[in-house]
Amino acid sequence: MASILEEYENSLSRVNFPSQSRGPGIPLSGYVNARLEKEMPIFNKQRIDFTPPENINSLVVCSNQLCMSLGKETILRIDLVKADQPNQVELGRKDEFKVHKIFLDPTGSHLVIALNNSECLYLNRNAQKVRHLSRWKGHTIESIAWNKFQKNDTSTGPILVGTAQGQIFEGEISTAEGGLFGTNPDQYFRYLHTLEEETGPAPVCCLEINCGYENRYCVIATTRKRLFQFSAKLTEGTEQQGFAPLFNQNMDDLPSIQEFPGNLGYSEIAFYTQKLRTYPMSFAWMMGNGVLYGNLDFTRPDSVLTDLKVWEYPSNDKPISIVITQFHFLLLLSDRIKAICTLNGQVVFEDIFTEKFGPLKRMVKDPGIGQIWIHTERAVFRYHVEREPRDVWKMYMNMGKFDLAKEFCKDRPECMDMVLAKEAEHCFQIKKYKESAKCYALTQNYFEEIALKFIEAKQEEALMEFLLKKLSNLKPSEKIQVTLLTTWLTELYLNRLGTLESDTSKRALYLRTRDDFRGFLSSKINKECLSNNRASIYDLLASHGDTEHMVYFAVLMEDYERVVSHHCQNDDYDEALNVLSKHKDKNLFYKFSPVLMQHIPRKVVDAWVKMGKKLDPKNLIPALVNYNQSACTQINEAIRYMEFCVYELRETEQAIHNYLLSLYAQFVPDSLLLYLENAGTNANRIYYDLKYALRLCAEHEHHRACVHVYKVMELYEEAVDLALKVDVDLAKSCADLPADDEELQKKLWLKIARHVVQEEKDVKKAMVCLSSCNLLKIEDILPFFPDFVTIDHFKEAICSSLQAYNQHIEELKQEMEDATLSAKRIREDMAEMRNKYGSVDPQDKCSGCDFPLLNRPFYLFLCNHMFHYDCLMQTVVPNLPQYKQLKLEDLQKKLLAAALPSKSRSLAKDEDSISLGKGQKSREQIKADIDDIVAAECPFCGDLAIRAVDKPFIDPQRYKEEMMSWL
């Protein structure tokens, strides 16, 4: 539990913190900072729970290794990772000496102990005994520049040592064994240089060595009033030879010496090295009248010190020690510490120590961990640096360094918003309106206020920039805001374009603005919004009369109907057709083809042909029928497209063929008959309407075409009647068509003959008709001749007819003789069959059951297969057709009825005679009928065996039963 005194000390320290709260007023940001816990201070003090057995003289910390000098001859080492295991080493000196200073390298491995009697001791982290540095004897050590580039646990590498007499030595300490003349740790110790002030040599208060770019080494050394720089490029591989080349240069070639008039009697310089870097970024030098601080740039060829500033001490209180962090340097006074911000030079932290633990002695910083340590003679304190950059953004913002401010508040949106608002306001005040608009768009400030601000300043371009940036930051779900901004931006663009278009001197600006507007319309982010509100955009474009961008916007929205309609209204039919051809929308082709066909028929048809089967020709007929009788080009193009559909696309739609027929009939009659003949004469494979074609051909008096249609319709009489009006040969070709109907064929030829005889009165031509048709005889056409015709005109025809009759009679006689001979041979074969027989041996067996044949009635076939009657029935009946099975069953019933026992033989005879008298079959005849069904052929050699090839051996219905019988 903390004591009352410690609570008082903590409250006293907190009283001195500067206030972080804002004054009342309108906040710059739309964010609300709702922190539930009180924020920890940047420098958070903690007293170490440690009571030293003796007074603390010196303390150093590096890499979590803490070493302190206690009393006269004790060194206490604590590994802070294992703080509960301290290590105490006795120096073992009996003379009256005191520890002057202790120095620990950055790795925490090498400890140098400087005594006030000009001797030095060395203690390695892995050793329990100090070793004497004999070569260092006679020098009071004030500072050491450790080698950070060749460090290890056993050797320090070349290091620089500064003495109270102003001398700088180079040396090396190593614990490695194997030396020729003993095991002294100091390998060498040689003089390099002496630092002087106006009064002569001065103590080397601080030394620091660093390596920058391209192997360029730089040594910074300070005395009480002066700061020296020594730099040179060392050849790679020669670093182990030492740093002598840095000090062997001409003093005139070295950077200027920083000197200040004040003198504390001592000075101290501190460096800040960022993590993962090997050289420091900034420094702070505590000297006589203040603190010189700035940045380090090792790429510069002259002085590495840049951005130098001086912070003067505010009172007579002189600091004891200094350390530097990323954005602050801390001064240790006798009873307090102060933290001064390096950005603005303001004291941001002050912590007062009570007198309980005595005056403060020294402050050091662990360069690897970043913790700050302070000790008195009886106590040790540690400061943790908590989120040091937390308020840096605000300082950079107030300094006008907005880019740096934004770097330090990337993960704090409320701070980023304040920085952006401040930057936007700053840009607005210096009239950088576009930059201001970009920043305002990223803030949470009220949209209306910012928009009105630009409107009042008449900065329309900046307003557009603000709206564009704001639009790009909106989420897709914020549809209302997106719609409003998109519509407003469209209006602003159109206003600006209208203003610039009338000013020829601003043509380049107009073109640039036009490209920006088109980019805005075609943006993928705005596409959905523009598509949903296209009616409003069209209205805006129309109100400004901007037809160019109306067409452009319609193309973006894929509203090609509006684009084509616009081109047609402006008589730009070629461009309209180009749009249709490019996007290949069949519905637009159907809609606009009638208009385009009136003006550019050839190009339209070419476009149709390129579309091919993507268009339905039936839907293009309205565009084709809308022509003038005098428009020859339109008609020819219509015929060309219809022919393409019929011959190339193989179109079968009846309307297409009918329309092509009508075009042929009206304008190209020479092609009509050719088309009909190519279509064929099979009515089932003809795609035009026959009745419509007949009416069309008759209407335009195309008789040959009508005859062809009659032939296809199989109206041969009408075809012949019409053909006789045109050409007798055409009629003859029609008369031969009904080849299956000789009567009709003869009738048609009689029509032709009558026409030739009665109309043309040409007997010779009539005789030619007689010879052309075998169905006509001379007697058929004689009634058509007039009475005055003499027999000489058809004498040859009569002779030919008589000769044909005689030949026919002879053929009939020959046929009769052949028939008589065939009947005679059949009767002989029947008689021979009646006398044919076969022999059966007593040992012969039935082919069906393999039992003796003679035991029961049997059948003998010519192939020598023998079957019992019942075996033959079992084999044949299942394979008989259904109707024969029914007939056989009926005959068996009749045979059974005829075999009933009679009372007497005479009665049976009477019944037989009665039955015969009634016309019923006898038993013998029934048996013969049964034999005709059952014994018509051998079941093994006849068709029955062939038909049974694909039948299974076992009936499917009995298959399961048969399978079970085998188990």
Side-chain angles (χ1 to χ4, degrees):
M1 182 179 294
S3 65
I4 297 176
L5 186 61
E6 289 175 345
E7 292 180 4
Y8 166 75
E9 180 185 354
N10 293 335
S11 64
L12 185 62
S13 300
R14 289 193 292 268
V15 167
N16 289 280
F17 291 167
S19 176
Q20 302 289 336
S21 61
R22 290 175 55 97
I26 300 174
L28 291 176
S29 171
Y31 286 94
V32 177
N33 189 4
R35 291 179 179 169
L36 300 179
E37 296 182 1
K38 187 174 181 180
E39 196 170 41
M40 294 289 292
I42 295 175
F43 303 101
N44 187 22
K45 182 174 70 174
Q46 176 190 7
R47 183 193 167 197
I48 303 302
D49 187 11
F50 168 73
T51 302
E54 298 180 76
N55 290 342
I56 302 173
N57 300 321
S58 299
L59 181 145
V60 289
V61 184
C62 285
S63 300
N64 267 335
Q65 300 296 320
L66 184 147
C67 298
M68 64 178 72
S69 169
L70 301 178
K72 182 178 178 182
E73 59 175 16
T74 303
I75 298 295
L76 182 65
R77 297 183 296 182
I78 301 175
D79 185 348
L80 298 177
V81 178
K82 299 178 288 184
D84 57 341
Q85 300 176 15
N87 178 256
Q88 186 171 314
V89 178
E90 300 295 334
L91 299 182
R93 305 281 296 192
K94 303 300 181 181
D95 51 354
E96 293 296 327
F97 75 95
K98 289 184 179 180
V99 175
H100 175 59
K101 283 186 178 180
I102 58 176
F103 306 93
L104 185 63
D105 81 308
T107 65
S109 301
H110 308 284
L111 179 67
V112 174
I113 306 161
L115 305 178
N116 59 0
N117 60 356
S118 300
E119 292 186 11
C120 289
L121 304 176
Y122 169 73
L123 180 62
N124 189 274
R125 181 168 61 180
N126 298 322
Q128 294 295 322
K129 184 178 180 181
V130 297
R131 303 175 70 178
H132 190 263
L133 301 177
S134 59
R135 291 185 176 90
W136 295 35
K137 188 174 182 180
H139 303 284
T140 303
I141 307 304
E142 291 290 340
S143 58
I144 295 179
W146 297 102
N147 191 329
K148 293 177 281 191
F149 318 106
Q150 300 177 24
K151 56 191 177 183
N152 56 61
D153 290 346
T154 60
S155 175
T156 62
I159 60 176
L160 296 178
V161 180
T163 69
Q165 294 77 29
Q167 297 170 321
I168 298 177
F169 291 86
E170 181 182 335
E172 181 176 0
I173 302 173
S174 176
T175 60
E177 298 182 359
L180 185 61
F181 301 105
T183 58
N184 288 337
D186 48 340
Q187 302 298 308
Y188 66 91
F189 193 73
R190 57 174 173 255
Y191 169 79
L192 294 180
H193 190 73
T194 300
L195 300 183
E196 295 184 354
E197 293 181 351
E198 68 274 8
T199 59
V204 182
C205 298
C206 296
L207 272 175
E208 177 77 12
I209 184 166
N210 290 288
C211 179
Y213 294 98
E214 298 179 350
N215 223 37
R216 184 171 181 266
Y217 282 79
C218 178
V219 173
I220 297 177
T222 66
T223 62
R224 292 167 296 190
K225 297 173 60 176
R226 290 183 176 182
L227 185 147
F228 299 83
Q229 299 179 58
F230 304 89
S231 61
K233 184 176 180 181
L234 299 183
T235 306
E236 190 172 356
T238 62
E239 297 89 342
Q240 299 213 5
Q241 298 178 8
F243 304 109
L246 278 71
F247 299 93
N248 292 337
Q249 304 176 76
N250 190 345
M251 294 300 293
D252 295 335
D253 297 334
L254 294 174
S256 60
I257 299 171
Q258 303 286 338
E259 184 174 0
F260 293 88
N263 187 350
L264 294 174
Y266 56 89
S267 73
E268 186 175 348
I269 191 168
F271 296 90
Y272 169 74
T273 303
Q274 201 169 10
K275 287 185 178 180
L276 305 179
R277 289 183 179 265
T278 58
Y279 50 87
M281 304 286 295
S282 57
F283 77 99
W285 179 33
M286 180 186 74
M287 37 80 177
N289 59 342
V291 177
L292 176 70
Y293 63 98
N295 298 323
L296 297 172
D297 185 359
F298 292 97
T299 62
R300 298 179 62 183
D302 49 1
S303 175
V304 297
L305 309 180
T306 62
D307 303 328
L308 298 180
K309 299 177 185 178
V310 176
W311 184 83
E312 296 183 359
Y313 303 134
S315 63
N316 294 327
D317 290 340
K318 301 304 179 182
I320 302 170
S321 187
I322 187 171
V323 296
I324 186 171
T325 62
Q326 186 176 5
F327 296 105
H328 303 85
F329 62 84
L330 286 78
L331 292 176
L332 179 69
L333 304 176
S334 60
D335 63 344
R336 70 190 64 196
I337 65 166
K338 289 183 178 181
I340 295 91
C341 179
T342 56
L343 300 178
N344 56 14
Q346 300 295 319
V347 178
V348 296
F349 176 77
E350 185 173 3
D351 193 3
I352 301 174
F353 289 77
T354 63
E355 298 178 356
K356 173 183 177 181
F357 304 105
L360 303 179
K361 291 294 185 181
R362 184 169 173 78
M363 175 172 60
V364 296
K365 177 186 171 186
D366 187 341
I369 308 302
Q371 295 174 344
I372 299 169
W373 296 78
I374 298 175
H375 74 92
T376 67
E377 290 184 346
R378 305 301 298 170
V380 179
F381 300 89
R382 176 172 56 189
Y383 280 90
H384 294 277
V385 182
E386 302 285 348
R387 294 177 54 240
E388 184 182 6
R390 70 179 72 168
D391 294 326
V392 170
W393 64 271
K394 190 181 302 181
M395 299 176 191
Y396 278 130
M397 179 183 71
N398 295 331
M399 296 165 61
K401 298 181 179 180
F402 300 107
D403 291 337
L404 290 173
K406 286 184 278 190
E407 283 292 323
F408 287 95
C409 58
K410 285 182 178 179
D411 55 344
R412 300 174 67 183
E414 72 280 2
C415 301
M416 179 68 79
D417 192 73
M418 294 176 66
V419 173
L420 289 170
K422 187 77 172 180
E423 182 181 7
E425 185 64 30
H426 173 74
C427 292
F428 192 90
Q429 290 175 359
I430 62 176
K431 298 185 178 180
K432 291 185 177 181
Y433 296 108
K434 290 189 71 173
E435 290 78 0
S436 176
K438 291 178 182 178
C439 293
Y440 269 131
L442 298 175
T443 67
Q444 299 295 319
N445 290 27
Y446 293 117
F447 173 84
E448 299 83 352
E449 292 181 1
I450 300 171
L452 287 173
K453 195 170 187 176
F454 286 114
I455 293 173
E456 291 172 357
K458 297 182 180 179
Q459 294 298 320
E460 187 174 295
E461 188 174 356
L463 176 61
M464 292 171 63
E465 187 69 34
F466 170 69
L467 296 179
L468 284 170
K469 195 72 174 177
K470 203 73 177 176
L471 178 62
S472 65
N473 294 331
L474 290 177
K475 299 177 182 177
S477 58
E478 298 174 314
K479 296 184 181 297
I480 296 177
Q481 293 89 330
V482 172
T483 302
L484 290 174
L485 291 182
T486 303
T487 309
W488 193 0
L489 279 167
T490 303
E491 176 70 22
L492 291 174
Y493 268 119
L494 292 174
N495 287 337
R496 186 167 178 78
L497 287 171
T499 304
L500 295 174
E501 189 176 15
S502 58
D503 191 348
T504 55
S505 63
K506 297 181 179 179
R507 180 65 179 171
L509 181 58
Y510 167 77
L511 294 176
R512 189 163 61 250
T513 306
R514 185 192 66 179
D515 293 341
D516 292 342
F517 181 45
R518 291 186 175 183
F520 168 74
L521 292 177
S522 59
S523 172
K524 293 182 179 180
I525 300 175
N526 305 329
K527 186 174 182 180
E528 182 182 358
C529 176
L530 292 171
S531 178
N532 294 336
N533 300 278
R534 64 177 68 184
S536 301
I537 304 300
Y538 281 134
D539 292 341
L540 283 175
L541 292 167
S543 65
H544 285 266
D546 195 343
T547 56
E548 179 185 0
H549 284 103
M550 182 179 291
V551 173
Y552 180 82
F553 179 69
V555 172
L556 289 177
M557 294 294 104
E558 299 181 357
D559 191 359
Y560 302 118
E561 181 177 351
R562 186 182 291 268
V563 177
V564 176
S565 178
H566 169 77
H567 290 313
C568 291
Q569 290 173 2
N570 290 277
D571 297 335
D572 192 355
Y573 302 106
D574 288 334
E575 187 61 31
L577 183 59
N578 289 338
V579 174
L580 290 177
S581 302
K582 181 178 179 180
H583 299 287
K584 299 180 181 180
D585 189 335
K586 61 181 182 179
N587 294 322
L588 294 182
F589 265 105
Y590 299 149
K591 182 173 183 177
F592 291 100
S593 288
V595 178
L596 298 176
M597 196 67 184
Q598 294 290 325
H599 300 87
I600 48 173
R602 181 180 296 277
K603 293 181 179 180
V604 172
V605 172
D606 288 341
W608 291 350
V609 171
K610 288 181 181 179
M611 289 287 288
K613 291 188 176 182
K614 294 179 182 179
L615 295 177
D616 186 356
K618 181 175 63 176
N619 295 328
L620 294 173
I621 292 179
L624 295 171
V625 299
N626 188 19
Y627 58 81
N628 297 322
Q629 294 293 334
S630 59
C632 188
T633 304
Q634 296 180 24
I635 295 170
N636 292 337
E637 294 304 319
I639 294 174
R640 180 163 74 94
Y641 182 65
M642 289 291 101
E643 289 176 343
F644 170 76
C645 295
V646 171
Y647 298 118
E648 298 294 332
L649 300 182
R650 303 294 181 184
E651 186 62 51
T652 59
E653 182 65 38
Q654 190 179 73
I656 301 299
H657 290 265
N658 288 346
Y659 183 58
L660 181 58
L661 267 176
S662 68
L663 291 174
Y664 280 152
Q666 295 180 64
F667 305 108
V668 195
D670 295 339
S671 300
L672 177 62
L673 185 59
L674 180 62
Y675 166 76
L676 293 174
E677 289 175 349
N678 289 336
T681 57
N682 188 344
N684 296 325
R685 296 184 178 180
I686 288 177
Y687 302 115
Y688 59 84
D689 188 344
L690 290 170
K691 294 181 180 178
Y692 174 75
L694 183 62
R695 183 172 66 254
L696 195 66
C697 296
E699 181 181 345
H700 294 88
E701 298 181 353
H702 301 310
H703 297 307
R704 287 184 178 272
C706 286
V707 170
H708 181 83
V709 176
Y710 277 134
K711 289 193 294 183
V712 176
M713 299 174 69
E714 298 183 355
L715 301 176
Y716 301 116
E717 291 189 43
E718 290 82 352
V720 170
D721 292 340
L722 185 58
L724 289 174
K725 297 179 181 180
V726 180
D727 185 6
V728 174
D729 291 334
L730 179 62
K732 289 179 181 179
S733 65
C734 296
D736 286 333
L737 291 177
D740 298 334
D741 192 346
E742 293 183 354
E743 183 179 353
L744 177 59
Q745 192 175 0
K746 183 176 181 180
K747 182 178 180 181
L748 297 177
W749 278 103
L750 285 174
K751 282 179 177 284
I752 296 172
R754 175 180 295 187
H755 175 80
V756 171
V757 173
Q758 295 180 351
E759 300 296 332
E760 298 186 5
K761 304 184 186 306
D762 190 343
V763 178
K764 291 183 178 181
K765 189 178 288 188
M767 293 300 104
V768 173
C769 290
L770 187 64
S771 62
S772 300
C773 180
N774 297 327
L775 300 177
L776 289 182
K777 306 298 180 185
I778 186 63
E779 60 269 24
D780 295 327
I781 64 173
L782 283 177
F784 302 146
F785 289 99
D787 297 336
F788 58 84
V789 177
T790 61
I791 196 171
D792 295 335
H793 291 91
F794 41 86
K795 175 180 171 181
E796 294 180 2
I798 293 174
C799 292
S800 298
S801 178
L802 292 175
Q803 186 177 0
Y805 284 143
N806 289 333
Q807 185 178 357
H808 184 58
I809 292 170
E810 291 297 327
E811 290 176 355
L812 291 176
K813 287 181 179 180
Q814 185 64 37
E815 290 178 1
M816 290 175 63
E817 291 177 359
D818 292 342
T820 303
L821 183 59
S822 296
K824 180 179 179 182
R825 287 177 178 174
I826 291 172
R827 282 193 296 271
E828 291 175 354
D829 290 341
M830 291 176 65
E832 185 179 355
M833 287 296 293
R834 288 193 189 97
N835 298 325
K836 197 167 184 179
Y837 64 92
S839 60
V840 178
D841 294 333
Q843 65 271 16
D844 287 339
K845 296 182 180 180
C846 174
S847 299
C849 64
D850 205 28
F851 280 96
L853 183 69
L854 298 178
N855 288 348
R856 299 196 300 274
F858 63 89
Y859 288 91
L860 174 64
F861 292 95
L862 295 177
C863 59
N864 290 329
H865 282 116
M866 310 168 193
F867 294 91
H868 290 130
Y869 172 77
D870 54 343
C871 293
L872 184 64
M873 293 289 286
Q874 291 177 4
T875 304
V876 173
V877 171
N879 297 302
L880 289 175
Q882 186 69 24
Y883 74 94
K884 283 191 176 183
Q885 291 183 13
L886 295 174
K887 184 177 180 181
L888 179 61
E889 185 179 353
D890 184 54
L891 290 172
Q892 287 176 338
K893 288 180 180 179
K894 289 181 180 180
L895 182 62
L896 182 62
L900 291 174
S902 56
K903 294 181 179 181
S904 63
R905 188 178 297 273
S906 60
L907 182 59
K909 291 181 179 181
D910 293 340
E911 288 177 354
D912 289 340
S913 62
I914 292 171
S915 63
L916 291 172
K918 293 180 180 179
Q920 294 181 354
K921 294 182 180 180
S922 63
R923 294 181 72 251
E924 288 74 12
Q925 191 173 359
I926 293 173
K927 288 181 179 181
D929 292 340
I930 291 174
D931 290 342
D932 289 340
I933 295 174
V934 177
E937 58 182 355
C938 175
F940 286 177
C941 302
D943 293 339
L944 185 64
I946 296 173
R947 291 195 300 271
V949 168
D950 59 345
K951 290 187 178 182
F953 292 109
I954 302 174
D955 188 357
Q957 297 178 357
R958 297 182 58 253
Y959 181 78
K960 188 173 182 180
E961 180 182 349
E962 187 69 22
M963 286 288 293
M964 296 301 294
S965 66
W966 283 78
L967 297 177

